[in-house]
């Protein structure tokens, strides 16, 4: 039980740093993709996250292929973050209109 409460405390600190972590990821994404937009989406953006939630980051760029190869995706995610609580979503800019409602609301980082 003690481990569970320690985990919750670490996750509380994790979400307190969510915006700064997203900015760090945005800087790295800019280095990789050049022209890109970075958003926080999901439960954190909806203000409904819990201490067991993950942090969803959406990166939109014309440099992201419309069909993503899994190995390429893993390589990109590893270059952006090593924190398993961060869930990276990659989306080609042309597809954003089709998915905007699904990702709404979106907190723009970059």
């Amino acid at each position: 039980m003690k481990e569970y409460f320690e985990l919750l405390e670490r996750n509380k600190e994790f979400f307190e740093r969510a915006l700064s972590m997203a900015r760090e990821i945005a800087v790295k994404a800019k280095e990789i993709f050049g022209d890109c937009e970075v958003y926080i989406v999901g439960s954190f953006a909806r203000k409904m996250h819990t201490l067991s939630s993950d942090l969803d980051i959406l990166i939109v760029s014309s440099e992201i292929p419309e069909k993503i190869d899994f190995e390429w995706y893993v390589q990109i995610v590893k270059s952006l973050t090593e924190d398993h609580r961060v869930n990276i979503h990659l989306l080609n800019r042309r597809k954003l209109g089709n998915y905007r409602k699904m990702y709404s609301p979106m907190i723009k980082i970059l």
Side-chain angles (χ1 to χ4, degrees):
M1 195 66 151
K2 178 183 174 192
E3 292 87 13
Y4 176 74
F5 288 110
E6 289 172 351
L7 173 66
L8 291 180
E9 187 60 32
R10 285 193 307 271
N11 285 351
K12 178 182 175 195
E13 294 167 5
F14 170 77
F15 283 109
E16 288 171 352
R17 296 177 311 145
L19 291 173
S20 64
M21 284 188 314
R23 283 190 286 275
E24 291 172 14
I25 291 170
V27 168
K28 293 176 184 178
K30 185 91 172 152
E31 292 172 2
I32 295 169
F33 299 113
D35 184 28
C36 65
E37 298 168 18
V38 179
Y39 303 91
I40 295 177
V41 296
S43 62
F44 186 85
R46 291 189 304 273
K47 298 181 176 154
M48 297 178 66
H49 68 284
T50 65
L51 293 181
S52 62
S53 296
D54 61 3
L55 179 64
D56 294 289
I57 304 289
L58 171 64
I59 301 170
V60 180
S61 172
S62 298
E63 298 301 315
I64 296 171
E66 289 191 33
K67 186 173 181 177
I68 296 175
D69 174 76
F70 180 74
E71 290 179 14
W72 178 83
Y73 171 79
V74 170
Q75 179 184 358
I76 295 297
V77 169
K78 284 182 178 180
S79 66
L80 294 171
T81 183
E82 294 183 16
D83 195 318
H84 67 278
R85 297 170 293 183
V86 178
N87 188 13
I88 302 290
H89 303 253
L90 301 174
L91 188 63
N92 182 282
R93 192 177 310 278
R94 288 186 295 240
K95 290 188 167 189
L96 180 59
N98 298 338
Y99 292 94
R100 188 175 292 276
K101 186 175 181 180
M102 180 179 82
Y103 284 117
S104 185
M106 301 163 62
I107 301 171
K108 189 165 187 172
I109 303 299
L110 178 69

